[in-house]
Amino acid sequence: MTEVDIHAPGVEVRKSACYFCHQNCGVLAYVKDGDVIKIEGDPEYTNAGGLCCRGNIALKHLHHPARINHALKRVGEKGENKWEKIPWDQAISEIAERLNKIREESGAEAVATAGGTLRTEDWSRRRFMNLFGSPNSFHNALLCWIPTFMIETAISGWSPFETDLASSKCLVLWGMNPGASSMPGMKGYTDLMMSGLKIIVIDPRYSETASKADIWLPLRPGSDTALSLAMLNTIIYEGLYDQEFVQNWCVGWDELVEHMAQYTPEWAAPLTWLDPEQIREAARMYAKNTPSNIQWGCTWDQIGANGGAGTQARALMRAITGNLDRPGGDTMPGPSFGYVTDEEIEANDRLPEEQKAKQIGSNKYKLTSWPGYQIIADTAKATWGKAPTAEWMCEAHGPSVFKAILTGDPYQVRALIVSATNPVNSYGDSKMTLAALKKVEFMVTCDYWMTPAALYSDYVMPIANALERPTIHTNYGVTDSILCSERAIQPLYDRHTDFTFWRDLGLATGQSEEDWPWKTEEEVFYYIISPLGYPVENYDQFVETYRMYFPPQRFYKYGDAGFCTPSRRCELKSSILERLGYPALPTYTPSPESAVENPELAKEYPITLTTGGGFMPFHHSEQFNIKSLRYLYPDPYFTINPKLADKLGIEQGDWCWIETQRGRIRQRADIESLCDPRVVFVPRGWWFPERGVDDPEAPFGCLESNTNVLTCVDDNYCDPLGGSWMNRGLLCKVYKCTELDMKLRQDTSWSIPGNAKEPGIHEMPSDAKLAFDPIPYDPKPTFEVPDGLVWDKNRLKAVQPETGFVYDPDSGWLIDEATSVYYDLVTGYAYDPTQGNLVDVNTGKHYDMETRQEIVSGEGEE
Amino acid sequence: MTRNVMVIDLRRCVGCQSCTVACRTWNDLPMDIIYNPVLTEGVQGDWPNVHRNWLPTLCMHCENPECVPCCPTGASQQDEDGTVWVDHTKCMGCKVCVNACPYGMRDVSHMVPRFDQYVRKCTFCRDRRQNEPGKDPYCVQTCHQKARIFGDIEDPNSEVSKLINSVETFRLFEELGTNPQIYYIPFLGGHR
Amino acid sequence: MKRHYWTSPIAIYLFLGGLGGGIMFLAWIMSAFVFAGQADVLGPALAGPMFIALLCLALGCFFLVFELGQPPVFWRVFTTATAIIKWGATMLSIAMFFNLFYVLAYVPWFPVFENFFMPFRAFNLGVAGIMGLGIMIYTGVMLSTLKAHSFWATPALPILFTTSATSTGCAAISLSLGVWPGSVHMTMASYLGAVAIHEVLHVVDIVLVFVEIGILLIMVLSFLGSGTRTAKRAAKRWVSGAYAGWFWIGMIGFGLVIPLCMYLSGVSAMSNGVAPVLVLCGGLLLRYLCVWTDDRQPLPGEERYYNKLPKSDAQFLHAWEDGDLY
């Protein structure tokens, strides 16, 4: 009954892609007369023809009547939903004028930008911001891999996130549910499982993935850190580590052994609700079945206060079991040497140092902002000449920016550009976030839809979707493979791509054409892939003929030049974390809100709440306006164990309140044994775009069932390392809604801190305490610093100020780290290894090693 | 002779409903028509000793369909290759076949004009297979997990033939004598 | 269960079809067998009931066609030969034609018809009567061949429907016997004949109602005791669940037992006027309850699945219908 004939004359097939999640599946787009008439999964791509729920609705998305097709300028009051359709260029120049004025009056840092997920060309946003002069761009990145990447990179030189599962013997899926979030990946896991790979799933829910696994550890939500510390303890104290690797390639082992003694499985058992023996079993299975592999899961970055320590512990588990960069283990790709990485086109060198220092949150959450990023980027550049991307890895702290809008602390943020995100749904403490969106002086939103953020904006910019733009997937440029897809059609109506937005805005704010040498994505992408050396003349040709680039995996790369860390070793005791004022060894911090550690609070809020967790068919807060999908999942459902439901008198489908200290939301009860009787699981993302502005205070029902009303972004809830806030293991109570409750207006009252009993601002962000205090970092030299040299406590080295050469206390020589050339401490002459004497690089004259006398030409030859 | 059947590997299905959505969009179905719902009873058992399972369904393309002989207009019919389908130019919407199907796999839409409510059902993507021989029904192609396998059971070398003969399978409501042609490879759930 | 595919129109159609069939069948039996040889006398007395029967069938057909997804092409029903439903449609058509022919013989204002059809009236009544029997049985058989539905797929159902149809036929004849506008044909003998028929039908209906109570209880209770899980669940709904009030008070009580008592109490205004109406209501209620009891054995998880789907008035289903908004 296919009404559309894809074989009709004039129908062209384009190799486009789905970009409704990060999988970037291939899509064959059938194009006729500049419009896509049909799509299907590309059988010859990584997805083997497969497309999930979201992929299949691409045309509904492309032609949706609620899509924003023209630039909209606000004509009514903010939130009144009155707009004038204006041409794109006019909107760009008006926005630019306003931004320039704000920069003039308050400095560039008064302009902030919020981004969405990986699926935009956000290097161009970063490029714009760097050239504009503001350090305050941010994403929800802190909840998704970025703290993990930075912690692991600090320890072992790069995040070991790539896999070589075919040679692996044991796989740990930790806080990760590919069965609902990465469909092509799940196929691979199932194949491997069927051929004998042992899979351990660690998840408080009996997830889609857990239901297929060999071992499943149903831990208390949010107790992942305690579990990982106890597993690390087991591996160390049962001698399950790789002694050779530890001896040859690690530093800090003895301190680690001593430090970890406190974290026994018996210590972790009450925190995790597991048996000590279960913890030991899992640790043994992982450590004995090497090569083994731990996959990163979003949970790692959503634990809050002690989340970073957990990631640290897992990084150490990978290391001491000898799994790093080993076939079948956790492989570390490093930056791409083939194509141009994002970092190379972000223009980070154009942002002045004094502006970097103004980055909001960088005084608190140092690892994922300029202080930590600078160290890691410098180390990486010294190793490879390339660095991880600054977009994502080095950003302002999103919730702190929203607080700055509301409090003016540390300074007033006056403008916010929101691109591809719906902050009310995706950031923690929605009520506070919504208040900030309403308050900010000037706001621009780039989106497909009228979201709450768009509604309060001064301009809404119409953005092209994945069929209307080419896509390139480089994993932020921190791995070496690349996936490319072409544009199926030019953007419809007056829609433009986000790259075009940032480029146009850049030019309109006074940036030069030379700063933006590429006019289209195709031009940039061709620039990116050109170094790969394929015989193609443009980007589309690359897509048509090659489409992707996967270099052969190289293992044991640390064998060449050591690990990309200051010590060139895998730093079990991390010098980078130590320098930033964090514990160098994984150290547990009690959670500010948990059923075990907060019995007082648990009296009022007895149920453990876990939020987030992807579920089909939606992605984050997307696709709630696609009828074909909503039809299958029209209402929000939270999951509750039959025993708990029974106790609370709740029946299948009942509307219930879920309430934390911050607020309450309502969802319908789905009764099944998916989680522990002490736990409820509340899925994320829910808003009701069909409602429109029925409630001007909280449009689109954006607070009604929104799980982030329940979460907390108070500074003492955030992980001091990476700044990620707490979505797992919160405390709540659950009770049935009455008839009257269903008619209640949404509660928009907000407070800073979020846990305050009364609405309003009770504490300035600058006064807020972190989960633990920074540890002062003031290391003394372990050797005598020769005269004329300066002790650099960050690098733990004595440095010659004039040259930047560092002193090697063992040999007594100076070393130029860039060239590895040795210099004499007294004379400053270089050591010439070919002749075994000293040479003055300025004059070219040679000197004797011992006497430091000039060797007269000719004598040396005899 | 060709006899098309489908094998559904429950060991692979994760209940993502991609097949459901894919079918709806590929066949441009009215909102309330679902050819291939993915059913589940949720997580069963007493925590933490639990199991869960999904059951992707579609028309069973029975060897002895209940829904064909009952049709008074001949719209409901079966091809040589076993495909059961409805010719909407012959259907008058009496719904006797809808009531006859023991699997609930037929329906008329209530979201189309009142006088255009003909019976709709899965056709194993009959038109797609006719237009592009060799292609699978779209739900088969779209399944990332490759939990749906389509093919000719009469061909001993086909994947479906091999699976049906070498792995234990079950079919739904076999006791009714409809001889359904959707074969399920069971997944017992829980941990092996 | 997703929903009821067949609803009120089908219930009404089954009732009216059975009723019309019952009237025609009984009229034929009375005329051809019970009071054989008195066709001339009884003919006009039966014209009223036969006309009612014709109306029932016509109205029933209207509801049937109305229930179709594509009413304008209802004629497609005659395009194939094998399906039960096609046989039903054919019998209905034949019955209606011959019923019409029979009635036309008594239309007072058109002597042309009278002259033409009067000679064939016995034949016409015969065909209509046999078709009437067929229709009564067919209404039950149509449901009972749908073996997906445990509550329908029993041989008891056609028997129950036939009994009920005959019983309602009795009631309808009792109410309409001798009522006919053209007094030309109605002689005193006709009235006496009508009274005789009435007496016979009175007894017949007592028997039928007795039998119907028996079949109904046996059917429902045997489902409850030894049916499949689905049938049991459906029967439970009748006996002690959501339909219990309708079943016990409505159908068994007012539809059968009370009229039975009235019939048994002898000929009276109650038994002549009220009891038949109650029987008719009971018959309609029976069809409703049966059509609504279309329980199919659910696939595992089916109910959970369909319960989560939105109702047709869900707000998102009707949003963004104004075309491009922004």
Side-chain angles (χ1 to χ4, degrees), chain B residues 108-127:
Chain B
V108 295
S109 172
H110 287 213
M111 293 188 177
V112 296
R114 171 63 185 87
F115 284 179
D116 198 21
Q117 297 178 350
Y118 56 84
V119 171
R120 298 171 195 251
K121 71 174 289 296
C122 158
T123 64
F124 268 166
C125 279
R126 191 169 175 272
D127 55 340

Side-chain angles (χ1 to χ4, degrees), chain A residues 1-13 28-33 35-40 59-60 63, chain B residues 23-29 88 125-132 135 138:
Chain A
M1 255 165 291
T2 315
E3 308 289 344
V4 177
D5 184 6
I6 53 178
H7 306 283
V11 176
E12 195 193 347
V13 189
L28 296 178
Y30 297 94
V31 177
K32 189 162 191 253
D33 303 328
D35 201 0
V36 186
I37 55 169
K38 196 99 184 163
I39 57 134
E40 66 178 305
L59 287 192
K60 309 265 178 211
H63 298 130
Chain B
C23 173
R24 280 153 74 72
T25 51
W26 182 265
N27 293 307
D28 207 10
L29 299 180
H88 74 272
C125 279
R126 191 169 175 272
D127 55 340
R128 180 177 153 94
R129 287 183 291 118
Q130 281 172 353
N131 289 338
E132 294 167 89
K135 278 210 170 179
Y138 191 61

Side-chain angles (χ1 to χ4, degrees), chain A residues 492-525:
Chain A
L492 301 173
Y493 307 95
D494 202 13
R495 298 175 193 163
H496 290 73
T497 62
D498 60 307
F499 163 76
T500 313
F501 174 80
W502 296 112
R503 183 179 190 275
D504 287 358
L505 193 63
L507 297 179
T509 50
Q511 296 164 17
S512 71
E513 288 275 352
E514 290 78 61
D515 287 334
W516 295 93
W518 320 282
K519 289 193 176 62
T520 61
E521 279 90 345
E522 279 88 349
E523 287 180 26
V524 196
F525 295 171

